Amino acid sequence: MRKIDIVRQIIGPKRYGALTYRRSPSSGRAWGGPMNGQRLRCLLVSQILVYCDAVAIIETGTFRGTTTEWLSAFQMPVYSCEASAENFGFSNARLSMIPNVHLMHMDSRAALREILDGPLAQKSRDPILFYLDSHWNKDLPLADELEIIFSKCCRAIVLVDDFQVHDDPGYSYDDYGPGKALTFDYVTEKIRAYELATFYPHTSEAETGAKRGCILLANNDLMGPILERVPLLRKFAHTHENLSIQKA
């Protein structure tokens, strides 16, 4: 067994993650910076928060806290959850002194329920930005996350990272096999059930960093008209019969 594995086993994954941060803070600069190093994605999120007058941010998938730290600068409550004990230990050591950041070591579905039934229960009718990025393995929680969010928060603004932009192959996305690819087909049931508006970012040509795709979902009547004004978003229309996307 390697020495590093022995240390991890002795002190436990959370403490090992914290130790990793203290020994090498620069190792937290994951994916080239916040939002996968994507300059336009950062600007897009900034526009959404301003146009929608959001009151809080909820992130699923803290990883090492790069995006979480960036989100904290907007001076509103930021809740972030991480299932990996080692990554949680790292990000907790990194972000523990930032008062508006609240980290949780738990599955994203349990965390969403706890947050929306707890500290943000009185904000369920206010705009809240959800940044969903907890898809890493065979257990894809996205469908459950969307159900929890839209059943509890009518003005939710949900941005799903690593999602296919169907008409722009310049954006990459996650595909975990049959029924688990982050494509439009995966979210059609939730779009139909909650009457959601669908938005995509503009062209990937001007984007920087990892160029990961995303989709933005929100209640069509309550938030759709506001999001249509966000400069870096483009809306797509879909029919109630088959939810086939046609450019608006």
Side-chain angles (χ1 to χ4, degrees):
M1 183 180 290
R2 297 180 306 164
K3 182 178 180 180
I4 191 172
D5 295 323
I6 294 173
V7 174
R8 184 186 285 110
Q9 188 176 65
I10 292 173
I11 68 176
K14 284 186 184 180
R15 289 183 179 178
Y16 184 79
L19 178 63
T20 301
Y21 170 74
R22 294 188 178 102
R23 292 183 62 183
S24 180
S26 63
S27 62
R29 297 170 188 162
W31 295 95
M35 305 280 167
N36 315 309
Q38 295 178 217
R39 182 183 64 84
L40 290 183
R41 172 77 67 81
C42 289
L43 182 56
L44 170 59
V45 169
S46 302
Q47 290 178 350
I48 291 169
L49 291 170
V50 171
Y51 276 78
C52 295
D53 198 21
V55 300
I57 303 168
I58 300 177
E59 174 192 37
T60 65
T62 313
F63 191 47
R64 292 195 160 184
T66 305
T67 295
T68 319
E69 184 176 58
W70 180 80
L71 291 170
S72 72
F74 290 96
Q75 299 300 309
M76 65 181 70
V78 177
Y79 297 85
S80 185
C81 63
E82 173 58 51
S84 162
E86 189 170 316
N87 287 335
F88 173 82
F90 186 102
S91 57
N92 192 50
R94 176 182 187 172
L95 305 171
S96 60
M97 299 303 291
I98 303 178
N100 61 316
V101 171
H102 311 277
L103 298 184
M104 309 169 75
H105 175 217
M106 60 198 325
D107 176 83
S108 62
R109 290 156 287 204
L112 287 170
R113 292 187 184 98
E114 185 167 312
I115 295 166
L116 295 176
D117 290 338
L120 293 185
Q122 302 303 314
K123 301 289 186 180
S124 63
R125 298 192 63 80
D126 293 324
I128 297 173
L129 175 64
F130 294 80
Y131 189 78
L132 305 186
D133 192 19
S134 61
H135 24 267
W136 275 98
N137 48 43
K138 294 180 180 179
D139 178 27
L140 182 59
L142 180 56
D144 293 332
E145 290 175 334
L146 294 175
E147 179 65 29
I148 295 165
I149 291 167
F150 286 110
S151 66
K152 294 178 179 291
C153 187
C154 61
R155 285 184 169 81
I157 309 128
V158 177
L159 194 156
V160 183
D161 190 21
D162 307 307
F163 201 93
Q164 182 189 44
V165 180
H166 73 281
D167 62 349
D168 191 339
Y171 286 112
S172 57
Y173 67 99
D174 285 352
D175 185 347
Y176 299 99
K180 292 187 177 182
L182 298 192
T183 66
F184 188 78
D185 287 345
Y186 184 88
V187 296
T188 53
E189 179 183 338
K190 304 306 177 187
I191 291 173
R192 183 185 297 110
Y194 290 100
E195 299 183 353
L196 304 179
T198 306
F199 296 85
Y200 287 116
H202 283 296
T203 176
S204 61
E205 291 182 3
E207 186 56 281
T208 61
K211 293 194 177 185
R212 303 294 286 171
C214 70
I215 191 172
L216 192 137
L217 304 170
N219 181 277
N220 187 59
D221 294 332
L222 295 176
M223 300 306 298
I226 299 173
L227 291 167
E228 287 180 31
R229 296 163 45 212
V230 175
L232 288 178
L233 282 179
R234 54 193 177 104
K235 185 178 183 180
F236 278 74
H238 37 75
T239 68
H240 287 288
E241 290 76 18
N242 56 21
L243 288 172
S244 296
I245 294 187
Q246 301 293 329
K247 194 168 183 180

